[in-house]
Amino acid sequence: MTGDVQRLQYLQAMGITAWASRYRLPNARPTPACEWEAPELETQHASAKLHALLDEAQQTASSRQEEQASVQKKTDNPVKLGDVRALLGDAGAPTGEKPPVLEQVPAADSVKAVQDPAQPLRFQLSLICLEGRWLSLQSGEISTEEQRLLSAMLKAAGIQLATPLVIETFYWPMVEGLPADDPLEEAREGLEAYIAGCAARHGWSLNQVLWWSGSSSDDETHATLAEVLDIASSAQGQVQSQALGLPVWQAPSLLQLLESAGAKRALWPELVELGTRWRQLAAKEDDAREEAAREKSDDH
């Protein structure tokens, strides 16, 4: 009821007429007879009356704040040691003894140091999936020359692709301006989620990572990506990405291979071995498809 009264007062102060039904609705109980009071003549303008109501509400709020401040001040007053002794009835206490000075313990918020939020890791990664089997990773954005070099090396190694190379680019952080509680773990989770989403959309079945990473130990980007991928060597000497759960074949960056003929010659034996593994894997998949087709025809 109070809310309705205030609402009508505000509407009246703004000059809006509030209407009420004076007719009986169908099947409604009769309204008790009453006398309608004639409205008082307004001697004050509607806008002035509205400002008066707003000033009254502001004064009420300020009076409440003063009451709360006075109550807080009373509760914050420290209890004197003499008052405590008087309450306990300690009459034998020496009167000339000075009460000990109690040190004020600072609040926890003032003691706690304000730490700046950690900054997220920053990197860019180019991803190319080879026939849904192997995932090629290159730091940064892959150029047209690097893409041509990659296609030529794969073809020379005997890795025949039925479809052209499709480049997926991953940026981290994906959203700017957000603090990071654990920058490394968040970057790993973001990369894992991105690759899992691409695999679900395109039907990838990954079993190998080709990482064109470079060999410079002081390269900051190389070190960052190594931490994100969580590269580690097993007891058998196999390099694997713990974050992706896939074995890793590591080679110099495509830019280094593009600029150095010696780096290409040094990598050639490994490319030949990589092509052999690719053909063996392709042959196994072809045999599996033929076996599944024979079983399907036998069922019919």
Side-chain angles (χ1 to χ4, degrees):
M1 181 63 70
T2 305
D4 293 339
V5 173
Q6 291 180 353
R7 179 174 60 84
L8 293 175
Q9 290 177 353
Y10 275 103
L11 292 175
Q12 185 180 4
M14 289 186 290
I16 300 176
T17 304
W19 298 92
S21 175
R22 297 189 181 184
Y23 298 94
R24 179 181 176 186
L25 299 175
N27 300 325
R29 180 179 298 178
T31 303
C34 61
E35 294 181 359
W36 297 93
E37 297 180 359
E40 299 178 358
L41 296 178
E42 296 185 0
T43 58
Q44 192 176 10
H45 194 267
S47 60
K49 193 171 184 181
L50 176 59
H51 285 290
L53 289 174
L54 295 176
D55 293 339
E56 182 180 357
Q58 187 176 3
Q59 291 177 1
T60 305
S62 60
S63 61
R64 290 180 181 176
Q65 292 179 358
E66 291 177 359
E67 292 178 359
Q68 293 178 358
S70 61
V71 172
Q72 183 69 22
K73 186 176 181 180
K74 291 179 180 180
T75 55
D76 291 342
N77 288 335
V79 179
K80 296 181 179 180
L81 187 60
D83 297 338
V84 176
R85 288 178 176 175
L87 291 175
L88 297 178
D90 190 4
T95 57
E97 182 181 355
K98 295 183 179 180
V101 179
L102 301 179
E103 297 181 358
Q104 294 183 355
V105 180
D109 295 338
S110 61
V111 176
K112 183 178 179 181
V114 179
Q115 299 180 354
D116 295 333
Q119 296 298 323
L121 300 179
R122 296 185 178 275
F123 61 89
Q124 180 181 354
L125 200 61
S126 297
L127 302 88
I128 301 176
C129 188
L130 308 179
E131 298 291 335
R133 302 181 192 130
W134 291 357
L135 185 63
S136 174
L137 301 180
Q138 162 81 1
S139 174
E141 185 176 358
I142 186 170
S143 62
T144 305
E145 292 78 8
E146 292 172 347
Q147 185 177 351
R148 291 175 182 172
L149 176 62
L150 177 60
S151 300
M153 289 191 301
L154 295 176
K155 186 176 181 180
I159 301 177
Q160 302 295 333
L161 302 178
T163 57
L165 301 179
V166 178
I167 303 173
E168 301 278 350
T169 306
F170 176 76
Y171 299 90
W172 188 261
M174 303 184 71
V175 180
E176 294 289 345
L178 296 180
D181 297 333
D182 190 345
L184 179 58
E185 188 64 26
E186 292 177 5
R188 286 176 181 170
E189 293 176 356
L191 180 59
E192 292 174 13
Y194 180 80
I195 294 177
C198 292
R201 289 193 305 270
H202 305 299
W204 296 349
S205 181
L206 302 176
N207 50 41
Q208 179 76 45
V209 172
L210 308 182
W211 187 27
W212 311 93
S213 61
S215 58
S216 179
S217 59
D218 58 348
D219 188 359
E220 184 177 355
T221 305
H222 168 73
T224 301
L225 290 177
E227 292 181 355
V228 172
L229 295 172
D230 196 5
I231 303 297
S233 299
S234 61
Q236 293 78 16
Q238 185 180 18
V239 181
Q240 187 165 357
S241 170
Q242 303 296 332
L244 302 180
L246 295 173
V248 176
W249 180 85
Q250 188 172 353
S253 66
L254 294 176
L255 181 59
Q256 292 178 357
L257 294 173
L258 194 63
E259 296 175 348
S260 174
K264 296 187 188 72
R265 287 191 296 268
L267 186 63
W268 175 246
E270 298 182 18
L271 283 175
V272 173
E273 183 181 356
L274 190 67
T276 303
R277 290 164 49 192
W278 174 270
R279 291 189 293 273
Q280 292 175 353
L281 181 60
K284 289 181 181 180
E285 292 181 355
D286 293 339
D287 294 341
R289 283 194 295 267
E290 293 177 359
E291 183 67 22
R294 283 195 300 267
E295 292 179 356
K296 187 176 181 180
S297 61
D298 294 340
D299 294 339
H300 293 291

